Amino acid sequence: MRLLVTGGCGFIGTNFVLHILETHPDAFILNLDKLTYAGNRANLADLEQDSEHYAFVRGDIADKALVVSLIKERRLDAVVNFAAETHVDRSIAGPAVFAQTNVAGTLNLLEAAREARVERFLHVSTDEVYGTLGPDGQFFETTPLAPNSPYSASKAAADHFVRAYHETYGLDTVTTRCSNNYGPYQFPEKLVPLMRLKAKNDEPLPVYGDGSNVRDWIYVLDHCRGVELALLKGRAGEVYNFGGAAEMANIDVVKAILRRTGQPESLIRFVADRPGHDRRYAMNFDKARKELGFEPAMDFETGLDKTVEWYDNNPAWLESVQSGAYREFMDQWYKERR
Ligand code: NAD
Ligand code: DAU
C-alpha cells in the first residue's frame, strides 16, 4: 500500500494516517498538505523520522505538476483526498477559497491521478452534499444532491467531477460521504472542541438558533475505518455513505459537553442562526454495511468521554493551534533535528 494522502495534517487526515500506519505496517504514506490554518504538521512530526513509511510535502492539490511528479517518483498507487476547506461558517464569510481548493483543487488532483495512472482515487466527501432533511427520513447514496452552503456546494461540485472522471476517462474512483466527525485533533472552530474550550474557559457557549438542528455524530476513527474499507473493498465508480447512527440535537451535544466539564447550563447562549442552516442530517449506510462490512464501533457517550479526555490531556496542542504557534514550534523542531 503506497498512498498519496492529501490534507493529512488536518483533523481526519491525521487520524487516518495514524490508523493506516498502525494497521498496515508495510504501508508508505506521502502526506501532501498546504498547511492552511487547519493544517498542523506537528501532529505527525514524529513519523517524519521513519522515511520508509511516511513523508511530508508541503504543497497544494491544485499544483498538478507537483502531484504528478510525487506520484511517479514515489511510486504511489492510490490517492486519498482529504484536502479541503471544511468550515461552513468560513464558507459563508468567503466562498472563493472553497471553490478554489474543493472544486479546482480536486479537479487538478483528478487530472494528475489520471496522468500518473494511479490505481484508485478515493475522494472523501460529506453528507452535506445531500442538503437537509425534515424530521423523518435518511440520506441514501441515490438521494439527489441539493447543497445549501457554499461549502457543501463546493463539495458537491467536486463529487460530480469525480463521477465524471470515472464515467468519461475510466479512472477508478470511489467517493465516501460521511456525517459529522468528532475526536482528537479537531480544530476548535467546530462544535465539539469549540464548546469544550469555551466551557473550560468559563465563557458563554454560542448555540445557533434554538439548538434543535440535528447532526449524526461519528467518532473519527470509525470514519477512518470506513475510508480504509472503501479504499480496499469499494467498487469502482461507487459512492458509500458512512454515519454514526447517533443523531443528536445540537443543544443535547452542548449539554453533554457541559456535564463533562462540570460547568452549568447557564453558560448556554442562543445566538443568531447560521444562514441557510441545514435542519437535520441522517445517514443510511446499509450499502457500506453490506458491501464493505462497515459498522461504527464507538457509541456517542464513550466517544465524547474519550474526546474531552484527549483535549484535557493535550492543552499544549490546543494552545498552539489557537495561537498559530505550531508553525514556530515546527521550525524549532526541524532545527533541532537537522
Ligand atoms: P480540516 O479542515 O481539519 O483539514 C483540512 C486539511 O486540508 C488541512 O490540513 C489543510 O491544511 C489541508 N488543505 C486545505 N487546502 C489544501 C490544498 N489546497 N492543498 C493541500 N492541502 C490543503 O478538515 P477535516 O475535518 O479533517 O476534513 C477532511 C475531509 O473530510 C474534507 O474533505 C471534508 O470535507 C471531509 N469531511 C469532514 C467531516 C467532518 O465532520 N469534519 C465529515 C465528512 C467529511
Ligand atoms: O456533516 C459533515 C460536516 O460536518 C463536514 O462536512 C464539515 O466539514 C464539518 O465542518 C461539519 O459541518 P457542520 O456545519 O455540521 O459542523 P459544525 O461543527 O460547524 O456545526 C455543527 C452544528 O452545530 C451545526 O448545526 C451548527 C451548530 N453550531 C456550530 C458552531 C461552530 C452552533 O450551534 N454553534 C457554533 O458555534
Side-chain angles (χ1 to χ4, degrees):
M1 190 191 266
R2 297 183 65 81
L3 302 179
L4 175 64
V5 171
T6 70
C9 294
F11 162 47
I12 306 172
T14 291
N15 283 284
F16 181 78
V17 170
L18 292 171
H19 170 70
I20 291 293
L21 292 179
E22 197 182 306
T23 52
H24 301 262
D26 294 337
F28 171 78
I29 294 179
L30 189 128
N31 174 10
L32 174 67
D33 196 300
K34 189 178 173 182
L35 298 182
T36 67
Y37 78 95
N40 184 353
R41 185 173 178 173
N43 291 351
L44 300 173
D46 288 346
L47 294 177
E48 291 187 32
Q49 290 166 91
D50 181 9
S51 58
E52 202 186 317
H53 295 106
Y54 177 82
F56 173 78
V57 172
R58 184 176 191 177
D60 195 324
I61 57 168
D63 184 343
K64 187 180 146 201
L66 171 68
V67 176
V68 171
S69 70
L70 290 174
I71 294 172
K72 287 186 172 168
E73 280 164 22
R74 307 305 288 255
R75 295 177 292 105
L76 306 174
D77 41 46
V79 174
V80 183
N81 182 29
F82 289 99
E85 289 292 332
T86 62
H87 192 42
V88 173
D89 295 332
R90 285 179 190 258
S91 83
I92 296 167
V97 69
F98 285 73
Q100 173 55 32
T101 285
N102 300 0
V103 188
T106 302
L107 176 58
N108 270 283
L109 204 56
L110 285 161
E111 253 322 277
R114 187 164 79 97
E115 189 176 320
R117 297 177 184 278
V118 295
E119 288 169 23
R120 172 148 282 189
F121 188 102
L122 189 302
H123 177 64
V124 180
S125 187
T126 168
D127 59 359
E128 300 204 9
V129 296
Y130 296 123
T132 186
L133 290 165
D136 306 313
Q138 290 183 313
F139 294 133
F140 292 79
E141 288 83 354
T142 49
T143 302
L145 305 197
N148 291 318
S149 72
Y151 163 68
S152 52
S154 68
K155 292 295 289 186
D159 287 16
H160 285 312
F161 273 112
V162 173
R163 177 190 161 89
Y165 266 65
H166 176 71
E167 296 297 327
T168 306
Y169 305 112
L171 186 69
D172 182 317
T173 62
V174 176
T175 297
T176 60
R177 296 186 181 135
C178 190
S179 61
N180 285 63
N181 287 221
Y182 66 101
Y185 298 103
Q186 189 167 31
F187 195 83
E189 64 186 352
K190 307 282 166 65
L191 185 75
V192 168
L194 182 73
M195 296 299 155
R196 181 257 167 217
L197 178 66
K198 288 193 177 289
K200 280 275 173 190
N201 292 346
D202 216 13
E203 290 169 16
L205 275 54
V207 174
Y208 299 162
D210 62 3
S212 63
N213 298 62
V214 172
R215 298 290 182 266
D216 170 8
W217 293 94
I218 183 170
Y219 191 67
V220 63
L221 192 57
D222 281 332
H223 181 195
C224 293
R225 286 176 36 251
V227 173
E228 176 193 14
L229 286 167
L231 179 68
L232 298 176
K233 294 166 72 174
R235 284 185 294 130
E238 293 294 319
V239 174
Y240 294 93
N241 283 354
F242 299 125
E247 278 187 55
M248 306 263 298
N250 291 338
I251 189 68
D252 294 327
V253 174
V254 170
K255 285 179 181 172
I257 293 168
L258 284 170
R259 281 198 296 280
R260 280 163 178 78
T261 45
Q263 290 285 47
E265 291 183 10
S266 56
L267 281 177
I268 294 173
R269 298 285 184 283
F270 293 101
V271 300
D273 209 352
R274 173 187 278 174
H277 196 176
D278 287 332
R279 186 83 208 139
R280 175 174 164 260
Y281 304 144
M283 287 301 247
N284 181 294
F285 51 90
D286 286 347
K287 181 177 172 182
R289 272 192 176 117
K290 203 167 134 212
E291 291 190 19
L292 309 177
F294 169 79
E295 196 64 51
M298 186 69 78
D299 69 273
F300 183 75
E301 293 294 329
T302 313
L304 194 61
D305 282 343
K306 281 173 82 83
T307 304
V308 170
E309 197 181 300
W310 186 86
Y311 282 95
D312 286 346
N313 291 337
N314 290 277
W317 183 89
L318 199 55
E319 274 159 34
S320 71
V321 297
Q322 279 179 281
S323 66
Y326 58 89
R327 296 175 204 286
E328 288 152 39
F329 288 175
M330 282 318 297
D331 290 345
Q332 191 56 33
W333 192 91
Y334 278 101
K335 259 185 223 145
E336 282 166 12
R337 279 162 183 76
R338 216 169 271 146

